[in-house]
Amino acid sequence: MPESKKTWDWEITSKTSYWGWSGTELWAYRHLLGSLVRRDFLLNYQQTVLGPIWILLQPLMTLATYVVVFGKLVGVSTGSLPPVLFYFSGIVLWNFFSDSFSGTSNTFRDNAQVFSKVYFPRIIVPMAVTSTQFLRFLIQFAMLLLLIGYYWAFRDLPVPFSVTTLAFPFAIVCIGGIGLGLGLFFSVITAKYRDIGGFVSLGIRLLMYVTPVIYPLKSLPENLRWIVELNPLTPLFELGRLSLLGEGTVTPVQLLYSLTFMIVILSGAMLVFNKQGDKLIDVV
């Protein structure tokens, strides 16, 4: 009798493809994703005295520095918004982007030992990093809402929430998508050329100065404003402040530009990451 044909849930081969995983496979590894998120979250605060308080202490210390340096000494205008709310909203959004970007850009370098011994969809690791940074963002965002509530209750801040507040999740999704896409792309490059890792760290710091984190877009001279507007993060940061604090300069065309950039960089980076992922194990 002919041998019955065996069926498999999935098959692991030496072939690589641009689409290296399926939704079914990712769902099968959902518990691994949860475990990595929990590990990354706890690992950052092990053997520290203050523990998770660092999630709030770090942006608050940055806020104090910005208020003194840019608010008092340099005199950067924050429009009609209190400097504390203006700077802290920028810090929270920037931390989410920069931590997602820098964390995922070291995927192969930090996990080479695991990747060489155990099979699982490699995309799980950068997804876990971005999810961990999203948890940190939610905690810092809760602090921002408390500050808004304080200024509304005791400092006569007008009610900032309106219909535009509904656009805030759009800004967060695009900021996270751009951070993850850039991180995936540079994770492939830094696996081959370690020196690029130093340029990534430097580039993230420099990118902050062409992103409206410490200044509003409308405060820039018109002949220089286009430089900052080329940055796809600019409309998203302006939208974030507009939706939460009622002040920001953004147009639908600029948002479409940011959305298109996010889709292109994230899709392209995933294709390169999947195609090159298994080949890089012999390099790292």
Side-chain angles (χ1 to χ4, degrees):
M1 296 182 60
E3 184 179 356
S4 60
K5 185 177 181 180
K6 296 181 179 179
T7 59
W8 311 91
D9 293 331
W10 62 77
E11 183 177 358
I12 302 173
T13 68
S14 58
K15 296 181 180 178
T16 60
S17 66
Y18 288 103
W19 191 260
W21 40 265
S22 64
T24 304
E25 192 175 12
L26 287 183
W27 177 253
Y29 284 94
R30 64 189 183 282
H31 299 297
L32 174 61
L33 175 62
S35 299
L36 290 176
V37 171
R38 183 175 181 275
R39 183 205 65 175
D40 292 342
F41 189 83
L42 296 178
L43 193 62
N44 290 327
Y45 307 105
Q46 278 186 345
Q47 298 181 342
T48 61
V49 176
L50 299 179
I53 296 176
W54 277 108
I55 298 175
L56 296 177
L57 187 59
Q58 186 177 21
L60 288 175
M61 293 175 67
T62 306
L63 171 64
T65 303
Y66 285 0
V67 170
V68 172
V69 175
F70 298 108
K72 302 296 182 182
L73 299 180
V74 181
V76 175
S77 172
T78 58
S80 61
L81 295 177
V84 169
L85 294 182
F86 182 90
Y87 291 131
F88 198 71
S89 60
I91 291 170
V92 170
L93 293 175
W94 180 255
N95 283 348
F96 179 46
F97 166 75
S98 64
D99 292 341
S100 298
F101 183 2
S102 60
T104 52
S105 66
N106 297 320
T107 296
F108 290 102
R109 189 194 67 182
D110 295 343
N111 300 277
Q113 295 296 326
V114 178
F115 285 171
S116 63
K117 295 177 181 177
V118 182
Y119 171 78
F120 59 90
R122 306 308 187 214
I123 196 69
I124 290 286
V125 172
M127 288 176 64
V129 172
T130 305
S131 299
T132 304
Q133 299 306 330
F134 183 67
L135 288 178
R136 289 167 52 89
F137 163 78
L138 289 179
I139 295 173
Q140 295 175 2
F141 179 65
M143 185 68 192
L144 174 61
L145 292 180
L146 290 177
L147 288 175
I148 293 175
Y150 169 80
Y151 273 84
W152 173 74
F154 301 105
R155 297 296 182 92
D156 298 327
L157 179 74
V159 178
F161 302 120
S162 63
V163 177
T164 57
T165 305
L166 300 176
F168 187 71
F170 172 81
I172 298 306
V173 169
C174 289
I175 290 173
I178 293 175
L180 176 60
L182 292 174
L184 290 175
F185 180 74
F186 280 98
S187 69
V188 175
I189 298 178
T190 55
K192 291 184 177 180
Y193 311 102
R194 297 296 179 93
D195 290 345
I196 300 297
F199 287 105
V200 170
S201 301
L202 177 61
I204 292 175
R205 287 197 295 270
L206 295 179
L207 183 61
M208 192 192 77
Y209 294 103
V210 290
T211 305
V213 176
I214 56 178
Y215 55 83
L217 179 63
K218 66 179 182 181
S219 68
L220 299 176
E222 291 189 5
N223 60 334
L224 298 177
R225 192 176 299 175
W226 65 273
I227 299 175
V228 179
E229 289 177 338
L230 285 177
N231 180 359
L233 292 173
T234 295
L236 302 175
F237 275 64
E238 289 292 312
L239 178 64
R241 285 203 181 93
L242 179 64
S243 59
L244 288 180
L245 303 173
E247 191 165 309
T249 305
V250 64
T251 65
V253 174
Q254 292 172 327
L255 293 178
L256 181 61
Y257 167 64
S258 298
L259 177 63
T260 304
F261 181 87
M262 187 271 288
I263 293 174
V264 171
I265 191 66
L266 185 58
S267 302
M270 279 191 173
L271 296 177
V272 174
F273 183 90
N274 293 330
K275 184 65 177 176
Q276 299 294 327
D278 293 330
K279 297 179 181 178
L280 290 174
I281 300 303
D282 296 330
V283 178
V284 298

